Amino acid sequence: MEDEGPHPVDIHVGGKVKSRRLMLGLSQEELAKSIGLTFQQVQKYERGTNRISVSRLTDISRALKVPVDYFLEGCAS
């Protein structure tokens, strides 16, 4: 099986992380520091390259001051 790239849900969730982060005026570095990661990891999450675990998504939702389900709004399953 060939690598088909990031899953559409991962891309959607990553895009929501990025848009919320920008809405709050945070840099990737600031978000990363608040959840104990590197900014490179945040970049990968935002692009959908790396999947975000539920526990990590919970950390991100706290840092970005939104409920976890915010990241799935508008996502076609």
Side-chain angles (χ1 to χ4, degrees), residues 5-77:
H7 191 280
V9 173
D10 298 324
I11 294 169
H12 176 85
V13 172
K16 296 282 281 191
V17 169
K18 182 176 183 176
S19 67
R20 180 63 182 170
R21 175 181 61 76
L22 293 173
M23 191 182 306
L24 294 175
L26 295 172
S27 68
Q28 288 178 332
E29 198 167 293
E30 290 168 323
L31 175 57
K33 185 176 180 181
S34 73
I35 58 176
L37 296 176
T38 64
F39 80 90
Q40 291 95 336
Q41 186 63 46
V42 170
Q43 281 180 331
K44 291 176 183 180
Y45 285 158
E46 289 184 351
R47 284 187 303 227
T49 306
N50 286 7
R51 289 188 170 168
I52 306 174
S53 69
V54 174
S55 57
R56 183 67 70 198
L57 193 59
T58 301
D59 295 339
I60 292 169
S61 73
R62 279 191 209 112
L64 297 179
K65 301 176 174 91
V66 290
V68 173
D69 62 351
Y70 166 86
F71 301 105
L72 295 173
E73 289 174 1
C75 185
S77 44

